[in-house]
Amino acid sequence: MTIMKMIIAIVQDKDSNVLSNEFIEADIRATKLSSTGGFLRSGNTTFLIGIEDERIEEVMKLIEKTSHTRGQFMTPQVNMDVSMDASAAYPVEVQVGGATVFVLPIEQFHQF
């Protein structure tokens, strides 16, 4: 009996097409979902991958290779109830991107 895992990988939209192509080349089947979230509520892509246990490292390396962190400027929201100094309205650079990956056990796997 083959041991299977479910990988849930959330990547920034900017990295999703390259990662999707890497999965195709490596014969890794993935379901691609559009998602939104994170600190900046930016567009993400969530990949659902049912994979044999022995191929998890291969998938993780592809995700790591294609998912990059990058700096992005954002202007913090100003709360009018609290007195703030003049620098509060200036843009600040934050790190976005990369990948968030969950690896879960699968009780059963059926493909019809």
Side-chain angles (χ1 to χ4, degrees):
M1 185 167 116
T2 304
I3 297 175
M4 300 287 292
K5 300 287 183 174
M6 170 64 74
I7 298 177
I8 302 171
I10 304 160
V11 301
Q12 201 172 36
D13 278 345
K14 292 178 182 179
D15 298 323
S16 69
N17 286 335
V18 173
L19 182 56
S20 185
N21 289 334
E22 291 283 340
F23 286 155
I24 291 167
E25 286 180 28
D27 195 31
I28 296 169
R29 295 179 181 185
T31 298
K32 188 175 171 181
L33 306 171
S34 178
S35 56
T36 304
F39 181 64
L40 299 176
R41 302 211 182 351
S42 59
N44 297 313
T45 299
T46 300
F47 289 94
L48 303 177
I49 306 154
I51 196 82
E52 297 86 2
D53 194 49
E54 60 271 6
R55 294 191 70 194
I56 290 173
E57 195 60 38
E58 176 187 359
V59 173
M60 298 299 276
K61 285 180 181 176
L62 291 175
I63 294 169
E64 185 176 11
K65 179 174 102 172
T66 59
S67 303
H68 305 285
T69 58
R70 40 183 82 73
Q72 182 172 326
F73 286 94
M74 60 139 331
T75 303
Q77 292 183 351
V78 177
N79 184 346
M80 299 311 246
D81 294 339
V82 179
S83 116
M84 303 187 81
D85 63 21
S87 67
Y90 289 103
V92 294
E93 186 174 16
V94 295
Q95 292 296 315
V96 297
T100 301
V101 181
F102 302 92
V103 180
L104 308 168
I106 293 179
E107 261 185 59
Q108 294 184 20
F109 177 81
H110 303 279
Q111 194 168 20
F112 302 105

